[in-house]
Amino acid sequence: MFAHFILALRAGGVPASITEYLALLGAMKAGVADYSVEDFYFLARAALVKDERHLDRFDRIFGESFKGLERPEGVAPQELPEEWLRKLAEKLLTPEEMAQIEALGGLEKLMDTLRQRLAEQQGRHQGGSKWIGTAGTSPFGAQGYNPEGVRIGQEEGRHGRAVKVWDRREFRDLDDSVELGTRNIKLALRRLRRFARQGAPTELDIPDTIASTARNAGHLDLKMVPERHNTIKVLLFLDIGGSMDEHVRVCEELFSAARGEFKHLEYFYFHNCPYEYLWKTNRRRRDNLVPTLEVLRTYGPDYKAIFVGDASMSPYEVSHAGGSVEHWNEEPGSAWIGRLTGHFRRSAWLNPRPPRAWAHAMSVGMIRELMEDRMFPLTLGGIDEMTRELSR
Amino acid sequence: MAGFKSTENYIASRDLEVAVNAAVTLQRPLLVKGEPGTGKTVLAHEVAKALGHPLIEWHIKSTTKAQQGLYEYDAVSRLRDGQLGDPRVHDIGNYIVRGKLWDAFDSPAQSVVLIDEIDKADIEFPNDLLLELDRMQFFVYETRQTVVARQRPIVIITSNNEKELPDAFLRRCFFHYIRFPDRETMELIVQTHYPDIRQDLAREALNVFFKVRDVPGLKKKPATSELLDWLKLLMVDELSPEVLRSKDGHTVIPPLHGALLKNEQDVHLFERLAFLSRRGG
């Protein structure tokens, strides 16, 4: 019945499954939604969305799939409801104009002016920049935001009904493709902090000892477990300077969040692409150089290497010797990236640029290839994926 | 259909009502998430009350195992009885301790089970309960007995999002995310909790409350439960609404802020804001 809707959801990135679809149909059959569109929306949301990060996508797709469903038949879209026009009057007309119209007298006149204005406005909107994503000619079909934060087309239904709930898109903040604040990063990086028991069993496992002693009919049976400690070791490589300046703030947030999460965390800075030298303090980058080979020698392959950088640079910086903008490099950046990713068993690249911008810079694609596609956007979702990748 | 509706103690939005009713009708668990203090746990109490069912609460801790909700085998006391020569020792059934889910399955009337803060438990915890929540039955190995629910209980699960829950588990649930209530809903909530609060006090308090929530950079935004605590304090202290009104729009530290701000950084932030705004005026 709603198969197209489910398919649209899946295409739009809401992982709804057959089980959930059947649950929705079951609930419909049991009369939970009771023929009200709004209730149907609530029900579909409860049944199909299982993660608040997907709620916004769901709202969007619901709006698209069931657009026009709530409009009563027989009302031509051109007929503008009176109260809506009146509202618009407050928006569009200056007080002087209002006074003028009042002087001219008559609501008729007012309505005419408004219709005229509205027609003008529509013409502008379609081609212009005022309504984002607007497509239809009817103001009621408009999708997207007016920059002033008022959704004119859908602000109020024609019979004074409330705003359509799915059009409010209240869950936008929870979408995981938004960029990060410190708190968000902490949540995601917490994933990396996997408590694993490794090494020699040194701690007395009291519950297990009691249980096995009891099962042993009272003969003492000592059980030991390895000590619990945080096994995650991380090396952070941060791109600093140049094209990264606008992303420095985001990087610092990630950095400050990461610092609290790991016991073994070392960080190094590089510029654009790692070469034979890295540095440990950004301010004194010239007198605090660390040879990359030394980094490779010092830190074992069990460290997880995370590069943070926009990977936007001249392609020569990656592919050619001497391509670096700052010094003469004997070997191309790709060799050093290969060395680093080859040494550390787990590595990933975080890119503060949104993925849609990646295609614009050739170097992003090159680095992505070098990282074997382990490049993730610096968003909560991206970090989630990265940590999953790193801890696999 | 006798459904769940807002009560005089609990304001449920329409979407929450639909979600609860769907879960009740289809007898599937309802997973509730939301900011802390938006009434996730209270929901189970209210559902139980509204439907007239007994409520069985199972609070999850980091050490809770799924098995504990079903039953536990008390080997230690059996051993002790064995050493003392107690005749009870011959029946292993005497040492099976029932868990909350067993209680719920065995209850003669339909019950409401609250599994509170499921994300506190180990990451495998939800997976261990898949079959039990799906079929509402489990097997006791020690006594070779299958426990089947007489009435499928209504299961309400809350989560604070500290861990992600497995997909297989989510697929079996209905899901509801409790949004932070808007001003109108909040007024209703205040009314239902304190029907005799002075109107002007409530209004000013809500103004302050939403202003506090809007301050950027708060570590922990106060939520409904904090607001209610705070209002109670204000009422007990018989503060006048004028105290809450900031003079010429300046930020002030709300009186009795201890109930609203739970974090010394947040209090500092407020003091700084108040200082800046005094200086600016």
Side-chain angles (χ1 to χ4, degrees):
Chain A
M1 194 171 10
F2 303 114
H4 74 282
F5 176 49
I6 304 295
L7 292 177
L9 280 179
R10 291 187 62 96
V14 180
S17 72
I18 305 267
T19 332
E20 285 149 339
Y21 181 43
L22 290 177
L24 170 66
L25 292 182
M28 294 285 289
K29 208 170 168 192
V32 176
D34 253 0
Y35 309 111
S36 135
V37 182
E38 202 159 287
D39 283 4
F40 170 66
Y41 159 71
F42 291 142
L43 177 65
R45 202 177 70 190
L48 300 173
V49 187
K50 296 297 156 67
D51 192 327
E52 65 274 18
R53 287 175 304 184
H54 300 147
L55 285 173
D56 182 48
R57 290 180 211 166
F58 176 83
D59 285 0
R60 226 166 41 219
I61 296 160
F62 190 93
E64 279 165 21
S65 299
F66 296 103
K67 191 160 80 181
L69 202 68
E70 69 291 339
R71 187 182 298 158
E73 279 175 35
V75 186
Q78 284 83 359
E79 275 181 352
L80 297 174
E82 215 178 287
E83 79 252 47
W84 189 82
L85 280 172
R86 209 169 281 139
K87 269 207 117 167
L88 212 63
E90 293 161 16
K91 251 183 78 69
L92 293 179
L93 302 178
T94 60
E96 292 85 51
E97 281 176 313
M98 290 284 256
Q100 222 177 357
I101 283 164
E102 218 134 276
L104 284 170
L107 190 72
E108 272 308 298
K109 187 83 187 161
L110 178 78
M111 291 299 162
D112 280 350
T113 319
L114 265 171
R115 275 194 194 106
Q116 216 179 318
R117 288 235 164 194
L118 204 67
E120 271 172 35
Q121 261 217 327
Q122 272 174 7
R124 270 213 308 276
H125 288 156
Q126 266 185 326
S129 56
K130 216 172 173 188
W131 280 7
I132 301 158
T134 236
T137 46
S138 150
F140 299 96
Q143 291 282 337
Y145 273 102
N146 177 306
E148 283 148 327
V150 185
R151 189 188 292 253
I152 292 194
Q154 290 160 341
E155 205 198 348
E156 209 153 354
R158 54 184 61 220
H159 299 300
R161 279 180 307 177
V163 194
K164 282 177 279 164
V165 261
W166 49 91
D167 271 337
R168 282 192 227 139
R169 295 187 56 192
E170 276 156 343
F171 298 100
R172 244 176 329 142
D173 296 348
L174 302 169
D175 199 330
D176 67 350
S177 41
V178 297
E179 282 191 31
L180 294 168
T182 314
R183 162 95 192 126
N184 284 351
I185 301 178
K186 268 199 169 162
L187 269 179
L189 275 170
R190 198 171 282 171
R191 286 237 164 159
L192 268 181
R193 205 175 44 158
R194 179 188 46 181
F195 282 109
R197 288 177 185 271
Q198 274 188 355
T202 51
E203 268 181 345
L204 181 63
D205 184 354
I206 294 174
D208 198 17
T209 303
I210 294 175
S212 23
T213 304
R215 291 213 174 84
N216 233 356
H219 294 283
L220 194 62
D221 183 7
L222 284 181
K223 293 283 175 188
M224 311 292 268
V225 282
E227 192 189 347
R228 176 190 285 240
H229 51 182
N230 199 340
T231 54
I232 294 293
K233 305 172 185 170
V234 173
L235 287 185
L236 263 184
F237 298 95
L238 296 159
D239 182 358
I240 208 90
S243 51
M244 272 302 283
D245 279 349
E246 56 175 310
H247 303 305
V248 159
R249 196 188 53 81
V250 190
C251 291
E252 275 172 354
E253 276 179 3
L254 174 74
F255 171 67
S256 69
R259 196 173 209 175
E261 293 297 325
F262 311 104
K263 209 171 174 188
H264 304 278
L265 170 77
E266 288 292 334
Y267 49 92
F268 295 95
Y269 294 100
F270 63 93
H271 179 55
N272 276 356
C273 184
Y275 297 107
E276 59 271 33
Y277 286 103
L278 303 163
W279 53 95
K280 289 220 68 157
T281 38
N282 183 41
R283 219 169 285 160
R284 309 203 324 260
R285 54 200 281 178
R286 282 294 150 235
D287 38 299
N288 222 335
L289 292 172
V290 185
T292 309
L293 280 176
E294 194 183 305
V295 172
L296 289 175
R297 274 200 308 274
T298 315
Y299 304 100
D302 52 332
Y303 273 82
K304 295 176 196 296
I306 304 175
F307 299 87
V308 184
D310 61 0
S312 304
M313 60 194 103
S314 143
Y316 298 113
E317 293 184 58
V318 185
S319 59
H320 283 67
S324 166
V325 288
E326 290 197 324
H327 69 299
W328 178 262
N329 51 317
E330 295 291 340
E331 286 173 288
S334 57
W336 287 105
I337 293 184
R339 240 166 245 159
L340 285 165
T341 53
H343 176 71
F344 299 109
R345 259 183 245 125
R346 296 277 169 216
S347 57
W349 189 294
L350 277 176
N351 196 331
R353 288 241 175 135
R356 59 173 189 281
W358 292 359
H360 297 320
M362 192 178 150
S363 57
V364 177
M366 295 166 73
I367 297 230
R368 219 169 144 192
E369 212 167 285
L370 286 169
M371 297 301 297
E372 284 156 347
D373 221 24
R374 291 190 304 269
M375 183 181 280
F376 305 97
L378 190 57
T379 61
L380 198 50
I383 291 201
D384 251 9
E385 274 177 61
M386 179 201 76
T387 48
R388 214 170 290 146
E389 171 66 41
L390 286 180
S391 56
R392 215 185 285 158
Chain B
M1 190 178 63
F4 167 71
K5 287 242 159 25
S6 289
T7 61
E8 64 252 33
N9 300 318
Y10 188 79
I11 301 295
S13 54
R14 180 69 195 147
D15 47 346
L16 180 57
E17 287 173 16
V18 171
V20 170
N21 287 331
V24 171
T25 316
L26 288 199
Q27 304 186 318
R28 279 168 184 249
L30 174 67
L31 171 67
V32 187
K33 283 198 206 170
E35 254 184 67
T38 40
K40 297 190 289 293
T41 307
V42 187
L43 172 72
H45 291 259
E46 292 304 322
V47 170
K49 217 191 288 167
L51 302 176
H53 294 330
L55 175 70
I56 295 172
E57 292 178 73
W58 185 16
H59 298 283
I60 307 298
K61 292 186 284 185
S62 62
T63 51
T64 308
K65 296 270 174 294
Q67 185 66 28
Q68 292 168 348
L70 310 176
Y71 69 92
E72 280 180 292
Y73 168 49
D74 189 357
V76 176
S77 63
R78 189 173 188 214
L79 172 70
R80 193 196 51 217
D81 284 358
Q83 284 172 338
L84 297 177
D86 195 308
R88 275 169 22 105
V89 80
H90 297 295
D91 183 5
I92 199 167
N94 288 329
Y95 303 97
I96 302 289
V97 183
R98 289 166 163 228
K100 300 278 186 193
L101 285 181
W102 191 334
D103 284 347
F105 288 0
D106 215 28
S107 134
Q110 194 182 30
S111 56
V112 176
V113 178
L114 167 67
I115 303 181
D116 204 11
E117 312 205 1
I118 194 166
D119 53 328
K120 295 278 176 298
D122 189 72
I123 203 134
E124 288 302 326
F125 179 88
N127 277 335
D128 294 347
L129 283 179
L130 279 183
L131 188 70
E132 283 73 13
L133 289 180
D134 214 22
R135 303 260 178 83
M136 298 287 181
Q137 65 176 58
F138 61 90
F139 183 70
V140 186
Y141 294 98
E142 280 79 359
T143 56
R144 311 263 182 278
Q145 168 195 11
T146 306
V147 178
V148 185
R150 296 207 224 169
Q151 301 258 2
R152 284 177 73 97
I154 298 161
V155 182
I156 294 181
I157 301 165
T158 73
S159 163
N160 274 327
N161 230 354
E162 284 186 15
K163 289 197 190 80
E164 228 159 89
L165 301 171
D167 285 347
F169 178 78
L170 292 175
R171 227 164 270 146
R172 288 167 169 80
C173 305
F174 280 99
F175 171 73
H176 183 75
Y177 183 85
I178 298 193
R179 224 166 7 92
F180 193 80
D182 55 14
R183 171 135 196 162
E184 281 160 46
T185 319
M186 197 53 106
E187 273 166 15
L188 269 177
I189 292 172
V190 170
Q191 278 305 317
T192 52
H193 281 263
Y194 306 119
D196 42 355
I197 192 170
R198 284 176 54 191
Q199 286 306 316
D200 45 354
L201 180 68
R203 200 173 49 241
E204 291 299 334
L206 277 176
N207 281 342
V208 174
F209 174 74
F210 279 101
K211 221 178 270 171
V212 169
R213 272 185 67 86
D214 278 343
V215 169
L218 275 191
K219 289 220 158 184
K220 162 78 181 83
K221 288 184 176 183
T224 318
S225 60
E226 274 99 15
L227 172 71
L228 293 176
D229 289 347
W230 185 54
L231 282 175
K232 180 128 210 185
L233 283 177
L234 293 180
M235 283 161 74
V236 169
D237 278 21
E238 289 177 351
L239 283 180
S240 70
E242 284 73 41
V243 187
L244 296 174
R245 199 171 301 144
S246 60
K247 287 143 208 103
D248 28 281
H250 288 166
T251 318
V252 290
I253 304 178
L256 306 163
H257 61 261
L260 285 180
L261 304 170
K262 298 286 174 70
N263 182 309
E264 74 269 20
Q265 279 106 315
D266 288 352
V267 178
H268 281 314
L269 179 72
F270 249 83
E271 282 166 352
R272 216 165 49 233
L273 282 178
F275 173 72
L276 285 176
S277 116
R278 263 202 312 276
R279 207 175 50 176

